Amino acid sequence: QGWLQASSDAVFRQQLIDLFATHQPSVVRGLEHDAKSAIASIKSWLRSNSDWFLFVEDASLTSSTVWDILPTMQRDCGRVLMTSQSELSADLGHFTGSHVHLKPFETAQSVELLQKINVLDDTDLGRPELVTLLKERLGNLPLSVAMLGHLARNLEGPNK
């Protein structure tokens, strides 16, 4: 299991190698200084095993390493949860066994979610910096808003 950033192929490759070096060291043993061979070994392992789960964040159609390494969902394999700020499903039907397209929230929906997570109260609603944060910085993306809420709650406690 692992969480990987896909907005950069170089970062994705390194995080994947590091993940396997930590959790499946036999897959990359002796290949630590040969990224191409390590990635090939990981790719083979992913295709021949089904007991794995990867969370791939911020993938795009240009994330070539992601699409090269992940097995298609046409066979029994592990699972992938992928987020993206762009539409992916149009050209990737063979990768999407099932997918859910989450549209950005309206600002009111973002505020409502943060209230349910218990990090906002009614006194926060008139704050213009909150609207700026939700709309401009987070794009009102549901996962981003939820992560912000949980982070804020865990760092500062309710209603801070």
Side-chain angles (χ1 to χ4, degrees), residues 70-131:
L70 295 178
T72 63
M73 298 301 153
Q74 297 172 347
R75 55 180 297 276
D76 186 28
C77 63
R79 297 290 176 245
V80 177
L81 176 63
M82 190 172 299
T83 68
S84 177
Q85 294 186 37
S86 59
E87 180 67 43
L88 295 178
S89 61
D91 297 325
L92 300 171
H94 58 288
F95 281 101
T96 54
S98 68
H99 67 278
V100 176
H101 179 73
L102 295 177
K103 295 179 181 176
F105 281 159
E106 297 295 327
T107 301
Q109 293 172 299
S110 293
V111 168
E112 181 182 347
L113 177 59
L114 292 174
Q115 287 175 316
K116 286 180 180 179
I117 296 172
N118 201 28
V119 294
L120 291 181
D121 61 26
D122 291 339
T123 62
D124 295 309
L125 300 181
R127 294 174 38 205
E129 68 272 15
L130 175 63
V131 173

Side-chain angles (χ1 to χ4, degrees), residues 7-76:
S7 58
S8 159
D9 268 355
V11 169
F12 178 79
R13 283 191 298 269
Q14 189 58 54
Q15 287 180 346
L16 190 61
I17 291 168
D18 291 346
L19 175 71
F20 272 79
T22 302
H23 298 288
Q24 292 290 336
S26 62
V27 176
V28 293
R29 188 170 288 122
L31 304 173
E32 293 85 356
H33 302 292
D34 183 358
K36 186 175 181 178
S37 295
I39 292 294
S41 182
I42 292 168
K43 182 177 179 177
S44 175
W45 188 90
L46 290 172
R47 282 169 169 63
S48 61
N49 290 276
S50 61
D51 190 23
W52 56 268
F53 175 81
L54 295 176
F55 187 103
V56 179
E57 181 180 2
D58 201 18
S60 71
L61 293 175
T62 61
S63 304
S64 60
T65 303
V66 171
W67 309 120
D68 178 54
I69 196 141
L70 295 178
T72 63
M73 298 301 153
Q74 297 172 347
R75 55 180 297 276
D76 186 28

Side-chain angles (χ1 to χ4, degrees), residues 131-147:
V131 173
T132 299
L133 171 70
L134 295 172
K135 286 178 79 172
E136 295 175 15
R137 300 289 305 254
L138 299 178
N140 279 319
L141 297 172
L143 182 59
S144 297
V145 173
M147 290 174 67

